[in-house]
Amino acid sequence: MYFHIESGNPKTREQIRRVFAEAYEIGKANTARGKVADYIPELAKADKNAFGLCMINEEGESIAFGDSETRFSMQSICKVVILALALKTKGFETTFSHVMMEPSGDSFNSILKLDTRSNLPFNPMINAGAIETVSLLEGDLSFEEMMAYARSLCLDHDICLDEAVYRSEFETGDRNRAIAYLLKSKSVLVGDPERTLDLYFKMCSLSVSARSLAGLGLVISNDGIDPFTGKLLIDPEHVRTIKSIMFTCGMYDYSGKFGVRVGVPGKSGVGGGMMCAARGPMGIGLYGPALDAFGNSSGAVKAMSHISKELKLHVFDY
Ligand code: DON
């Protein structure tokens, strides 16, 4: 029995399992090097030593280790769901007339270049870009509709709003308010800024697990099709766009290094989550709230490096 990773790289189920077990040990050991996010007080309550990962393939087989079922807030990984919704609701041209598709090289909440280099946010994976993208949708979709889409993309119908994180996010979100109002002052933000921010805070506060993130990675790596129902959730052309932007912008100012060292389209969040859409098709979700200096889970970055190297998952590994 083989996992369908790549025809040139057959591995038995046992070999694959061993790679994930090793990745778990490496990731867990690296949690000691990171620091839990504390700029949103509710996030500071996370267990610094927690670590888990989960892989799901198109046949529904999964491999999981550690805290793979622990719930935590999706944070910036929701930016992938928001981008998918914008492409589906508004189309490619309209979406990218509001946000660019360039890596910013700056931290996720930077406001600097927005006022000096460009009016449009650099990409949909940084706060400014995600807030702009939500503003495009604010008049068309309710939070419940956005959450329903997140549930189907993550193959997880138990996703709900973490009220405590949402409140904390709302109370401490002044930098995001500054971004929204700066965009409004330039007539770039199209929706109501308060309703836009509320939707953005709520989407960041969706409660997921490493397993849910593996589900999202699987749907993306399977060209937008839910492999278990056959339902098309994201247009394959939009999947190509989303994967490209995840690859170039998904890890903030570590995106270049992640692209070279790991080479798998992925997205991280300050709640400690990481979602990767790997060849196979295969979805990989990781959770480790101890973050490195860039805001990515330090355990997840190391674990993914190991998985990618051992299973030859780098998109340029041929
Ligand atoms: O906008 C914020 O501050 C957060 N709610 C989301 C940021 C985030 O996850 C950035 N991640 N690395």
Side-chain angles (χ1 to χ4, degrees), residues 14 41 49 54 69 71-72 107 117 135-136 147 177 193 196 201 209 211 215 251-252 265 275 282-283 289 306:
E14 213 23 68
N49 300 310
C54 178
E69 308 289 339
R71 293 272 161 184
F72 56 93
S107 58
R117 290 262 312 271
S135 89
L136 263 182
M147 178 165 67
R177 287 190 183 90
T196 296
F201 293 143
S209 63
R211 183 172 291 276
M251 302 289 158
Y252 307 103
M275 175 273 291
M282 181 198 305
H306 182 76

PDB file of all heavy atoms in Angstrom, residues 14 41 49 54 69 71-72 107 117 135-136 147 177 193 196 201 209 211 215 251-252 265 275 282-283 289 306:
ATOM      1  N   GLU A  14       4.084   2.972   6.203  1.00  0.00           N
ATOM      2  CA  GLU A  14       4.932   2.955   7.400  1.00  0.00           C
ATOM      3  C   GLU A  14       6.058   3.986   7.308  1.00  0.00           C
ATOM      4  O   GLU A  14       6.371   4.680   8.268  1.00  0.00           O
ATOM      5  CB  GLU A  14       5.492   1.521   7.601  1.00  0.00           C
ATOM      6  CG  GLU A  14       5.690   1.131   9.045  1.00  0.00           C
ATOM      7  CD  GLU A  14       4.839   1.929  10.057  1.00  0.00           C
ATOM      8  OE1 GLU A  14       3.605   1.787  10.081  1.00  0.00           O
ATOM      9  OE2 GLU A  14       5.447   2.713  10.804  1.00  0.00           O
ATOM     10  N   PRO A  41      -4.252  39.696  24.255  1.00  0.00           N
ATOM     11  CA  PRO A  41      -4.110  39.028  25.553  1.00  0.00           C
ATOM     12  C   PRO A  41      -4.644  37.588  25.583  1.00  0.00           C
ATOM     13  O   PRO A  41      -4.029  36.709  26.200  1.00  0.00           O
ATOM     14  CB  PRO A  41      -4.908  39.933  26.498  1.00  0.00           C
ATOM     15  CG  PRO A  41      -4.895  41.271  25.842  1.00  0.00           C
ATOM     16  CD  PRO A  41      -4.823  41.046  24.367  1.00  0.00           C
ATOM     17  N   ASN A  49       4.110  24.894  25.209  1.00  0.00           N
ATOM     18  CA  ASN A  49       4.718  23.600  24.845  1.00  0.00           C
ATOM     19  C   ASN A  49       3.832  22.736  23.956  1.00  0.00           C
ATOM     20  O   ASN A  49       4.239  21.655  23.548  1.00  0.00           O
ATOM     21  CB  ASN A  49       5.052  22.810  26.117  1.00  0.00           C
ATOM     22  CG  ASN A  49       6.015  23.589  26.979  1.00  0.00           C
ATOM     23  OD1 ASN A  49       7.038  24.070  26.493  1.00  0.00           O
ATOM     24  ND2 ASN A  49       5.675  23.763  28.254  1.00  0.00           N
ATOM     25  N   CYS A  54      -1.160  17.031  11.716  1.00  0.00           N
ATOM     26  CA  CYS A  54      -2.096  16.090  11.102  1.00  0.00           C
ATOM     27  C   CYS A  54      -1.941  16.160   9.587  1.00  0.00           C
ATOM     28  O   CYS A  54      -1.774  17.242   9.031  1.00  0.00           O
ATOM     29  CB  CYS A  54      -3.523  16.490  11.496  1.00  0.00           C
ATOM     30  SG  CYS A  54      -4.789  15.441  10.755  1.00  0.00           S
ATOM     31  N   GLU A  69      -5.950  17.739  17.813  1.00  0.00           N
ATOM     32  CA  GLU A  69      -7.386  18.044  17.920  1.00  0.00           C
ATOM     33  C   GLU A  69      -7.628  19.283  18.779  1.00  0.00           C
ATOM     34  O   GLU A  69      -8.764  19.698  18.955  1.00  0.00           O
ATOM     35  CB  GLU A  69      -8.158  16.856  18.541  1.00  0.00           C
ATOM     36  CG  GLU A  69      -7.927  15.501  17.872  1.00  0.00           C
ATOM     37  CD  GLU A  69      -8.572  15.391  16.486  1.00  0.00           C
ATOM     38  OE1 GLU A  69      -9.510  16.164  16.203  1.00  0.00           O
ATOM     39  OE2 GLU A  69      -8.114  14.542  15.684  1.00  0.00           O
ATOM     40  N   ARG A  71      -8.225  22.930  19.910  1.00  0.00           N
ATOM     41  CA  ARG A  71      -8.809  24.080  19.202  1.00  0.00           C
ATOM     42  C   ARG A  71      -8.014  25.350  19.499  1.00  0.00           C
ATOM     43  O   ARG A  71      -7.594  25.574  20.639  1.00  0.00           O
ATOM     44  CB  ARG A  71     -10.259  24.276  19.623  1.00  0.00           C
ATOM     45  CG  ARG A  71     -11.179  23.153  19.175  1.00  0.00           C
ATOM     46  CD  ARG A  71     -11.734  23.430  17.790  1.00  0.00           C
ATOM     47  NE  ARG A  71     -12.238  22.187  17.188  1.00  0.00           N
ATOM     48  CZ  ARG A  71     -12.709  22.109  15.952  1.00  0.00           C
ATOM     49  NH1 ARG A  71     -12.736  23.186  15.183  1.00  0.00           N
ATOM     50  NH2 ARG A  71     -13.130  20.968  15.459  1.00  0.00           N
ATOM     51  N   PHE A  72      -7.826  26.157  18.499  1.00  0.00           N
ATOM     52  CA  PHE A  72      -7.120  27.436  18.636  1.00  0.00           C
ATOM     53  C   PHE A  72      -7.658  28.354  17.547  1.00  0.00           C
ATOM     54  O   PHE A  72      -8.356  27.897  16.628  1.00  0.00           O
ATOM     55  CB  PHE A  72      -5.601  27.242  18.497  1.00  0.00           C
ATOM     56  CG  PHE A  72      -5.199  26.578  17.212  1.00  0.00           C
ATOM     57  CD1 PHE A  72      -4.856  27.332  16.098  1.00  0.00           C
ATOM     58  CD2 PHE A  72      -5.186  25.188  17.097  1.00  0.00           C
ATOM     59  CE1 PHE A  72      -4.511  26.713  14.899  1.00  0.00           C
ATOM     60  CE2 PHE A  72      -4.845  24.562  15.905  1.00  0.00           C
ATOM     61  CZ  PHE A  72      -4.499  25.333  14.809  1.00  0.00           C
ATOM     62  N   SER A 107       6.515  43.102   8.072  1.00  0.00           N
ATOM     63  CA  SER A 107       5.733  42.273   8.984  1.00  0.00           C
ATOM     64  C   SER A 107       4.240  42.377   8.644  1.00  0.00           C
ATOM     65  O   SER A 107       3.816  43.288   7.931  1.00  0.00           O
ATOM     66  CB  SER A 107       5.986  42.693  10.427  1.00  0.00           C
ATOM     67  OG  SER A 107       5.650  44.048  10.562  1.00  0.00           O
ATOM     68  N   ARG A 117       4.624  53.980  -0.380  1.00  0.00           N
ATOM     69  CA  ARG A 117       4.976  53.357  -1.658  1.00  0.00           C
ATOM     70  C   ARG A 117       3.779  53.081  -2.556  1.00  0.00           C
ATOM     71  O   ARG A 117       3.892  53.000  -3.759  1.00  0.00           O
ATOM     72  CB  ARG A 117       5.708  52.028  -1.396  1.00  0.00           C
ATOM     73  CG  ARG A 117       7.093  52.192  -0.832  1.00  0.00           C
ATOM     74  CD  ARG A 117       8.186  52.088  -1.902  1.00  0.00           C
ATOM     75  NE  ARG A 117       8.036  50.937  -2.773  1.00  0.00           N
ATOM     76  CZ  ARG A 117       8.552  49.754  -2.519  1.00  0.00           C
ATOM     77  NH1 ARG A 117       9.233  49.548  -1.429  1.00  0.00           N
ATOM     78  NH2 ARG A 117       8.400  48.774  -3.373  1.00  0.00           N
ATOM     79  N   SER A 135     -13.449  44.130   2.976  1.00  0.00           N
ATOM     80  CA  SER A 135     -14.316  45.286   2.697  1.00  0.00           C
ATOM     81  C   SER A 135     -15.064  45.103   1.378  1.00  0.00           C
ATOM     82  O   SER A 135     -16.187  45.559   1.217  1.00  0.00           O
ATOM     83  CB  SER A 135     -13.509  46.592   2.708  1.00  0.00           C
ATOM     84  OG  SER A 135     -12.980  46.893   1.442  1.00  0.00           O
ATOM     85  N   LEU A 136     -14.436  44.401   0.449  1.00  0.00           N
ATOM     86  CA  LEU A 136     -15.087  44.102  -0.835  1.00  0.00           C
ATOM     87  C   LEU A 136     -16.319  43.222  -0.641  1.00  0.00           C
ATOM     88  O   LEU A 136     -17.264  43.270  -1.418  1.00  0.00           O
ATOM     89  CB  LEU A 136     -14.104  43.291  -1.696  1.00  0.00           C
ATOM     90  CG  LEU A 136     -13.246  43.932  -2.742  1.00  0.00           C
ATOM     91  CD1 LEU A 136     -12.425  42.870  -3.441  1.00  0.00           C
ATOM     92  CD2 LEU A 136     -14.136  44.648  -3.759  1.00  0.00           C
ATOM     93  N   MET A 147     -18.407  32.001   7.678  1.00  0.00           N
ATOM     94  CA  MET A 147     -18.028  30.869   8.541  1.00  0.00           C
ATOM     95  C   MET A 147     -18.457  29.546   7.895  1.00  0.00           C
ATOM     96  O   MET A 147     -17.727  28.547   7.956  1.00  0.00           O
ATOM     97  CB  MET A 147     -18.660  31.025   9.928  1.00  0.00           C
ATOM     98  CG  MET A 147     -18.336  29.867  10.857  1.00  0.00           C
ATOM     99  SD  MET A 147     -18.702  30.210  12.588  1.00  0.00           S
ATOM    100  CE  MET A 147     -20.483  30.316  12.543  1.00  0.00           C
ATOM    101  N   ARG A 177      -7.489  48.987  13.006  1.00  0.00           N
ATOM    102  CA  ARG A 177      -8.384  50.140  12.771  1.00  0.00           C
ATOM    103  C   ARG A 177      -7.630  51.218  11.997  1.00  0.00           C
ATOM    104  O   ARG A 177      -8.148  51.824  11.065  1.00  0.00           O
ATOM    105  CB  ARG A 177      -8.882  50.722  14.097  1.00  0.00           C
ATOM    106  CG  ARG A 177      -9.893  49.831  14.753  1.00  0.00           C
ATOM    107  CD  ARG A 177     -10.601  50.458  15.952  1.00  0.00           C
ATOM    108  NE  ARG A 177     -11.463  49.431  16.479  1.00  0.00           N
ATOM    109  CZ  ARG A 177     -11.105  48.547  17.425  1.00  0.00           C
ATOM    110  NH1 ARG A 177      -9.927  48.627  17.990  1.00  0.00           N
ATOM    111  NH2 ARG A 177     -11.941  47.590  17.784  1.00  0.00           N
ATOM    112  N   PRO A 193     -15.978  50.742   7.299  1.00  0.00           N
ATOM    113  CA  PRO A 193     -14.778  50.287   8.026  1.00  0.00           C
ATOM    114  C   PRO A 193     -15.096  49.498   9.303  1.00  0.00           C
ATOM    115  O   PRO A 193     -14.419  48.511   9.590  1.00  0.00           O
ATOM    116  CB  PRO A 193     -14.017  51.572   8.338  1.00  0.00           C
ATOM    117  CG  PRO A 193     -14.891  52.699   7.967  1.00  0.00           C
ATOM    118  CD  PRO A 193     -15.978  52.199   7.089  1.00  0.00           C
ATOM    119  N   THR A 196     -16.414  46.088   8.355  1.00  0.00           N
ATOM    120  CA  THR A 196     -15.292  45.342   7.767  1.00  0.00           C
ATOM    121  C   THR A 196     -14.380  44.795   8.868  1.00  0.00           C
ATOM    122  O   THR A 196     -14.020  43.612   8.878  1.00  0.00           O
ATOM    123  CB  THR A 196     -14.469  46.281   6.834  1.00  0.00           C
ATOM    124  OG1 THR A 196     -15.295  46.678   5.754  1.00  0.00           O
ATOM    125  CG2 THR A 196     -13.225  45.597   6.307  1.00  0.00           C
ATOM    126  N   PHE A 201     -12.081  40.606  12.373  1.00  0.00           N
ATOM    127  CA  PHE A 201     -11.774  40.097  13.716  1.00  0.00           C
ATOM    128  C   PHE A 201     -12.459  38.744  13.943  1.00  0.00           C
ATOM    129  O   PHE A 201     -11.880  37.831  14.517  1.00  0.00           O
ATOM    130  CB  PHE A 201     -12.246  41.081  14.801  1.00  0.00           C
ATOM    131  CG  PHE A 201     -11.493  42.387  14.830  1.00  0.00           C
ATOM    132  CD1 PHE A 201     -12.146  43.584  15.123  1.00  0.00           C
ATOM    133  CD2 PHE A 201     -10.123  42.442  14.577  1.00  0.00           C
ATOM    134  CE1 PHE A 201     -11.452  44.795  15.163  1.00  0.00           C
ATOM    135  CE2 PHE A 201      -9.424  43.651  14.615  1.00  0.00           C
ATOM    136  CZ  PHE A 201     -10.096  44.828  14.906  1.00  0.00           C
ATOM    137  N   SER A 209      -8.552  23.290  14.396  1.00  0.00           N
ATOM    138  CA  SER A 209      -7.539  22.385  14.945  1.00  0.00           C
ATOM    139  C   SER A 209      -6.537  22.086  13.826  1.00  0.00           C
ATOM    140  O   SER A 209      -6.784  22.437  12.660  1.00  0.00           O
ATOM    141  CB  SER A 209      -8.192  21.080  15.407  1.00  0.00           C
ATOM    142  OG  SER A 209      -8.755  20.431  14.282  1.00  0.00           O
ATOM    143  N   ARG A 211      -6.193  19.348  12.547  1.00  0.00           N
ATOM    144  CA  ARG A 211      -6.945  18.495  11.604  1.00  0.00           C
ATOM    145  C   ARG A 211      -7.756  19.351  10.635  1.00  0.00           C
ATOM    146  O   ARG A 211      -7.821  19.061   9.439  1.00  0.00           O
ATOM    147  CB  ARG A 211      -7.839  17.508  12.371  1.00  0.00           C
ATOM    148  CG  ARG A 211      -8.586  16.542  11.485  1.00  0.00           C
ATOM    149  CD  ARG A 211      -9.307  15.461  12.282  1.00  0.00           C
ATOM    150  NE  ARG A 211      -8.396  14.525  12.913  1.00  0.00           N
ATOM    151  CZ  ARG A 211      -7.857  13.462  12.319  1.00  0.00           C
ATOM    152  NH1 ARG A 211      -8.139  13.203  11.057  1.00  0.00           N
ATOM    153  NH2 ARG A 211      -7.033  12.679  12.975  1.00  0.00           N
ATOM    154  N   GLY A 215      -7.488  19.626   6.531  1.00  0.00           N
ATOM    155  CA  GLY A 215      -8.643  19.553   5.612  1.00  0.00           C
ATOM    156  C   GLY A 215      -8.582  20.680   4.592  1.00  0.00           C
ATOM    157  O   GLY A 215      -8.752  20.455   3.381  1.00  0.00           O
ATOM    158  N   MET A 251       4.021  33.352   4.533  1.00  0.00           N
ATOM    159  CA  MET A 251       4.742  33.293   5.816  1.00  0.00           C
ATOM    160  C   MET A 251       5.332  34.654   6.160  1.00  0.00           C
ATOM    161  O   MET A 251       6.393  34.760   6.743  1.00  0.00           O
ATOM    162  CB  MET A 251       5.861  32.236   5.757  1.00  0.00           C
ATOM    163  CG  MET A 251       5.383  30.854   5.423  1.00  0.00           C
ATOM    164  SD  MET A 251       4.447  30.086   6.760  1.00  0.00           S
ATOM    165  CE  MET A 251       3.519  28.873   5.811  1.00  0.00           C
ATOM    166  N   TYR A 252       4.638  35.719   5.695  1.00  0.00           N
ATOM    167  CA  TYR A 252       5.085  37.091   5.985  1.00  0.00           C
ATOM    168  C   TYR A 252       6.509  37.313   5.510  1.00  0.00           C
ATOM    169  O   TYR A 252       6.880  36.818   4.443  1.00  0.00           O
ATOM    170  CB  TYR A 252       4.917  37.406   7.475  1.00  0.00           C
ATOM    171  CG  TYR A 252       3.510  37.118   7.886  1.00  0.00           C
ATOM    172  CD1 TYR A 252       3.193  35.979   8.581  1.00  0.00           C
ATOM    173  CD2 TYR A 252       2.493  37.970   7.485  1.00  0.00           C
ATOM    174  CE1 TYR A 252       1.881  35.705   8.902  1.00  0.00           C
ATOM    175  CE2 TYR A 252       1.182  37.692   7.802  1.00  0.00           C
ATOM    176  CZ  TYR A 252       0.884  36.565   8.506  1.00  0.00           C
ATOM    177  OH  TYR A 252      -0.399  36.281   8.803  1.00  0.00           O
ATOM    178  N   PRO A 265       3.272  25.479  -0.739  1.00  0.00           N
ATOM    179  CA  PRO A 265       2.383  26.609  -0.443  1.00  0.00           C
ATOM    180  C   PRO A 265       1.778  26.448   0.949  1.00  0.00           C
ATOM    181  O   PRO A 265       1.239  25.379   1.274  1.00  0.00           O
ATOM    182  CB  PRO A 265       1.281  26.505  -1.515  1.00  0.00           C
ATOM    183  CG  PRO A 265       1.789  25.555  -2.533  1.00  0.00           C
ATOM    184  CD  PRO A 265       2.823  24.686  -1.895  1.00  0.00           C
ATOM    185  N   MET A 275      -0.980  25.891   7.789  1.00  0.00           N
ATOM    186  CA  MET A 275      -1.696  25.037   6.853  1.00  0.00           C
ATOM    187  C   MET A 275      -0.876  24.915   5.587  1.00  0.00           C
ATOM    188  O   MET A 275      -0.416  25.922   5.054  1.00  0.00           O
ATOM    189  CB  MET A 275      -3.056  25.692   6.562  1.00  0.00           C
ATOM    190  CG  MET A 275      -3.913  25.028   5.520  1.00  0.00           C
ATOM    191  SD  MET A 275      -3.591  25.542   3.821  1.00  0.00           S
ATOM    192  CE  MET A 275      -4.175  27.218   3.815  1.00  0.00           C
ATOM    193  N   MET A 282      -2.345  16.224  -0.701  1.00  0.00           N
ATOM    194  CA  MET A 282      -2.186  15.997   0.724  1.00  0.00           C
ATOM    195  C   MET A 282      -2.292  17.328   1.473  1.00  0.00           C
ATOM    196  O   MET A 282      -1.708  18.324   1.058  1.00  0.00           O
ATOM    197  CB  MET A 282      -0.775  15.411   0.926  1.00  0.00           C
ATOM    198  CG  MET A 282      -0.427  15.084   2.337  1.00  0.00           C
ATOM    199  SD  MET A 282       1.368  14.902   2.545  1.00  0.00           S
ATOM    200  CE  MET A 282       1.824  13.704   1.376  1.00  0.00           C
ATOM    201  N   GLY A 283      -3.065  17.338   2.546  1.00  0.00           N
ATOM    202  CA  GLY A 283      -3.159  18.539   3.373  1.00  0.00           C
ATOM    203  C   GLY A 283      -2.414  18.302   4.671  1.00  0.00           C
ATOM    204  O   GLY A 283      -2.512  17.215   5.263  1.00  0.00           O
ATOM    205  N   PRO A 289       1.809  26.987  19.346  1.00  0.00           N
ATOM    206  CA  PRO A 289       1.634  28.427  19.597  1.00  0.00           C
ATOM    207  C   PRO A 289       2.914  29.198  19.921  1.00  0.00           C
ATOM    208  O   PRO A 289       2.888  30.430  19.930  1.00  0.00           O
ATOM    209  CB  PRO A 289       0.650  28.481  20.773  1.00  0.00           C
ATOM    210  CG  PRO A 289       0.711  27.144  21.404  1.00  0.00           C
ATOM    211  CD  PRO A 289       1.135  26.160  20.365  1.00  0.00           C
ATOM    212  N   HIS A 306      11.349  19.254   7.685  1.00  0.00           N
ATOM    213  CA  HIS A 306      11.688  17.830   7.701  1.00  0.00           C
ATOM    214  C   HIS A 306      10.765  17.038   6.762  1.00  0.00           C
ATOM    215  O   HIS A 306      11.243  16.225   5.952  1.00  0.00           O
ATOM    216  CB  HIS A 306      11.572  17.306   9.138  1.00  0.00           C
ATOM    217  CG  HIS A 306      11.941  15.867   9.260  1.00  0.00           C
ATOM    218  ND1 HIS A 306      13.250  15.427   9.232  1.00  0.00           N
ATOM    219  CD2 HIS A 306      11.171  14.748   9.382  1.00  0.00           C
ATOM    220  CE1 HIS A 306      13.275  14.100   9.335  1.00  0.00           C
ATOM    221  NE2 HIS A 306      12.025  13.672   9.423  1.00  0.00           N
TER     222      HIS A 306
END
